[in-house]
Amino acid sequence: MRLNIINLKSTQMNKFFLLLLLSTCMVQAQNVLVPDSTGVVKSNDSLEISTKTFSKDTLKPFKRYKAEGISAVVGEYIILDSDIDKGYLEMQSQGISIEGITRCELLGKLMEDKLYAHQAKQDSLVVADAEINSRIDQQLQYMVSELGSEEKVAQYYRKDNVADLRKELFDANKIIALASQMQQKIIDKLEVTPEEVRSFFYSIPEDERPIFGAEIEVAQIVVEPEISQKAIDDVIARLNAIRADIIDNGASFSTKAVLYSKDPGSASKGGLMTGITRDSPLAKEFMDQTFSLLEGEVSEPFQTEFGWHILYVEKIRGQEVDVRHILLFPDVSQAAIDAAQKKIEDIRSQIVSGEISFADAAHKYSEDKETRNNGGQIINPLTFDTRFDLTKMDPTFGAQVYNLKEGEVSKVITDRDRTGKGMLKILTVTKRYPEHKADYVKDYERIKQLALREKQIKEISKWQDKVIDKTYVHVNEDYQKCDFSANWLKN
């Protein structure tokens, strides 16, 4: 059956189920799914989740539960009634509308996850424990930010302590990771030919072809204030003083990281980074320090593109290493900021007056290595092309370019790059694409992705039918009348 193409005006439910059907490894890294368990959420006024927006037909209030029961069994995995309720809760926590999503549909998704994980074990697929533990650290950090403390998080999930909760999260995340690996294995080698793309597009009735929303392409020129040697010497001295206090006086590296580190991803965790392997996507200098130190050693100050660090090796487990680090930036003088401001204002004046094109100026003056050789053109990190959907842009970035006309140059903007360092930049909209119905020639690459997505969905569906047929599946009588997308009832 042909996939109904979803345009940018589609419902949240459609978006959610498309995500469910194709949860690739990149998507799974962002998931914070709630585990199966035999426990239920404790009724507690201070921890209640609002249910005002929930449909009575799709969800019972989270503060009331019937006695725990089994909804379905897939292979070795059991799905409980509370798992469906928790699924709704997780969707809401991720900002996904649950309006119109039935319990039948959510149970079907949970059964899919268990089927993938079950078959992944049969196929001997392996997920490293360090990868799971790193994901759990992120999940607990998010939960603590929502509820206030680890104790409240454990209480919310009716666990005696955080250790018990971590075990439950580990089991759930293991299932998720195995499921994702299995899905990726199914679709990994699929490709679409130009003829398949053409057939796919012209098989869609003209009045049903997707509507692509308004998009823009943006270029930038970046100038960074010059950092003096004195500022570099000062930051090295600060790191050496912290290091000496740790080594000579027994000060806590973790506490120092919380107090002083400028790394937003690890500072609140005492600088902790777990499960680092030689394949981890980290700066070369950082990796060199990680794998050259012994357990318990603290590095000398060293530099990466992100700033200056000291690093402490907390645990070595075979090929995996847990470390803590402290990141500091050299201070930038007001004189350096003023000089950078003057430089970028002069560049802007040259562009506006027509003395030089924005692209040539970017190539000549921009200090952003990733964009300067491409005329300053910014790549969308979500789609890896140059187009940005105006409705899905980062709010801060979107506000900077939303009112710019095509070819107009922005005022000088003070910003921070991905490493956290301050910078000055100017932006221009190089191309605007108004909302339009899909065009085979102009939108070929996007249509190609939709065609591939349909092919992947068909392949997953074929795989499901085949594996369900040879896997033990039991669905509770409460769900025997569900219209599942897969043949879970084996009719």
Side-chain angles (χ1 to χ4, degrees):
M1 182 176 71
R2 183 178 58 80
L3 169 67
N4 291 323
I5 300 304
I6 301 172
N7 61 39
L8 295 176
K9 294 181 178 179
S10 62
T11 64
Q12 286 289 334
M13 184 182 75
N14 284 336
K15 291 178 182 177
F16 175 65
F17 277 99
L18 185 56
L19 176 66
L20 296 186
L21 285 167
L22 292 169
S23 41
T24 62
C25 290
M26 186 168 69
V27 174
Q28 66 141 319
Q30 302 173 1
N31 283 347
V32 187
L33 297 183
V34 180
D36 295 350
S37 80
T38 55
V40 295
V41 178
K42 183 177 180 180
S43 178
N44 185 315
D45 292 341
S46 65
L47 299 176
E48 283 182 12
I49 305 299
S50 172
T51 60
K52 292 181 180 179
T53 60
F54 300 162
S55 166
K56 292 182 180 179
D57 295 331
T58 58
L59 178 64
K60 296 177 182 179
F62 291 119
K63 62 181 180 179
R64 296 177 184 173
Y65 284 89
K66 64 180 181 180
E68 186 68 288
I70 295 174
S71 297
V73 179
V74 178
E76 64 192 89
Y77 296 107
I78 295 173
I79 301 168
L80 305 173
D81 289 338
S82 64
D83 297 323
I84 300 175
D85 294 324
K86 291 175 184 178
Y88 280 113
L89 179 60
E90 173 57 24
M91 288 165 59
Q92 190 197 30
S93 73
Q94 294 186 30
I96 300 171
S97 172
I98 64 172
E99 191 68 31
I101 298 178
T102 67
R103 296 181 72 85
C104 289
E105 290 169 324
L106 198 48
L107 174 60
K109 173 58 178 68
L110 292 173
M111 287 194 289
E112 285 180 22
D113 288 342
K114 303 303 180 287
L115 183 70
Y116 296 135
H118 173 77
Q119 190 60 38
K121 285 190 174 182
Q122 306 305 308
D123 291 357
S124 301
L125 299 185
V126 177
V127 178
D129 287 355
E131 178 185 337
I132 304 300
N133 286 323
S134 178
R135 200 176 306 172
I136 291 171
D137 288 340
Q138 295 176 13
Q139 293 169 355
L140 285 175
Q141 186 177 1
Y142 169 79
M143 293 176 192
V144 169
S145 70
E146 292 294 308
L147 296 178
S149 68
E150 289 189 348
E151 290 72 21
K152 285 187 176 180
V153 172
Q155 180 189 13
Y156 184 78
Y157 289 104
R158 288 195 70 185
K159 298 300 171 186
D160 293 334
N161 50 59
V162 174
D164 288 346
L165 178 58
R166 286 189 69 98
K167 182 181 184 305
E168 187 172 273
L169 287 171
F170 184 92
D171 294 340
N173 277 277
K174 193 84 167 182
I175 291 172
I176 296 163
L178 286 171
S180 182
Q181 278 202 17
M182 192 69 244
Q183 285 178 312
Q184 194 61 34
K185 180 180 177 181
I186 297 166
I187 65 175
D188 196 40
K189 296 182 179 180
L190 290 181
E191 296 180 350
V192 286
T193 65
E195 182 56 35
E196 286 176 317
V197 177
R198 184 180 182 283
S199 297
F200 166 79
F201 180 76
Y202 287 107
S203 69
I204 306 171
E206 189 168 350
D207 60 349
E208 295 181 18
R209 287 174 186 169
I211 303 296
F212 294 135
E215 297 176 306
I216 59 174
E217 293 181 340
V218 183
Q220 68 177 2
I221 295 174
V222 173
V223 173
E224 298 176 358
E226 185 176 351
I227 298 173
S228 68
Q229 186 59 49
K230 181 181 183 306
I232 293 173
D233 292 342
D234 287 345
V235 82
I236 293 173
R238 288 175 62 199
L239 286 171
N240 274 324
I242 293 171
R243 179 176 185 269
D245 196 23
I246 293 167
I247 294 174
D248 299 337
N249 302 322
S252 165
F253 194 105
S254 176
T255 300
K256 296 287 188 182
V258 171
L259 292 173
Y260 302 116
S261 181
K262 301 301 182 183
D263 178 16
S266 70
S268 64
K269 298 183 292 183
L272 182 64
M273 299 175 66
T274 60
I276 298 174
T277 68
R278 294 187 183 275
D279 296 328
S280 297
L282 300 170
K284 178 183 182 302
E285 301 87 349
F286 196 96
M287 295 290 284
D288 289 345
Q289 294 291 332
T290 297
F291 289 98
S292 65
L293 298 174
L294 299 176
E295 191 171 297
E297 280 193 300
V298 182
S299 74
E300 300 280 350
F302 64 95
Q303 184 181 20
T304 70
E305 62 176 318
F306 297 94
W308 286 84
H309 313 248
I310 55 172
L311 181 147
Y312 166 68
V313 176
E314 180 158 294
K315 188 72 176 177
I316 298 175
R317 298 189 305 275
Q319 300 302 311
E320 297 178 353
V321 183
D322 295 344
V323 303
R324 295 183 186 271
H325 82 121
I326 296 171
L327 169 67
L328 296 181
F329 307 132
D331 293 331
V332 180
S333 68
Q334 187 59 50
I337 295 172
D338 292 343
Q341 180 80 28
K342 183 179 185 307
K343 179 179 178 180
I344 199 165
E345 289 282 9
D346 289 344
I347 295 169
R348 182 180 185 279
S349 296
Q350 292 180 52
I351 297 169
V352 172
S353 66
E355 295 178 43
I356 190 171
S357 70
F358 195 100
D360 288 344
H363 190 272
K364 185 175 181 179
Y365 299 115
S366 183
E367 296 173 21
D368 181 66
K369 296 177 182 179
E370 294 181 358
T371 61
R372 68 185 178 196
N373 291 328
N374 193 30
Q377 203 74 53
I378 302 174
I379 301 300
N380 187 332
L382 299 178
T383 61
F384 302 103
D385 63 18
T386 56
R387 295 187 182 187
F388 289 85
D389 184 335
L390 283 170
T391 66
K392 298 179 181 178
M393 293 179 72
D394 173 80
T396 301
F397 182 40
Q400 292 169 351
V401 298
Y402 188 83
N403 293 320
L404 286 180
K405 297 176 182 177
E406 192 171 306
E408 182 181 0
V409 182
S410 73
K411 299 294 185 182
V412 175
I413 299 167
T414 301
D415 206 345
R416 291 190 178 276
D417 65 12
R418 64 185 179 85
T419 70
K421 293 185 294 186
M423 64 178 182
L424 301 171
K425 68 181 182 181
I426 53 175
L427 302 169
T428 188
V429 173
T430 56
K431 186 73 175 176
R432 281 188 175 271
Y433 300 89
E435 181 178 282
H436 64 283
K437 184 176 288 188
D439 179 279
Y440 180 70
V441 175
K442 294 180 180 178
D443 301 305
Y444 179 82
E445 288 300 322
R446 300 178 70 179
I447 294 166
K448 179 180 178 181
Q449 290 303 312
L450 292 174
L452 176 60
R453 190 171 297 170
E454 181 190 55
K455 191 171 184 178
Q456 290 171 338
I457 290 172
K458 287 180 177 179
E459 188 67 21
I460 286 174
S461 180
K462 284 167 52 180
W463 180 90
Q464 282 183 355
D465 289 343
K466 178 181 177 181
V467 176
I468 288 173
D469 191 53
K470 64 179 184 181
T471 302
Y472 174 75
V473 178
H474 173 74
V475 179
N476 187 286
E477 61 182 10
D478 291 345
Y479 298 95
Q480 289 287 327
K481 294 183 179 180
C482 288
D483 183 19
F484 294 116
S485 58
N487 188 27
W488 295 111
L489 301 176
K490 299 188 178 183
N491 294 328

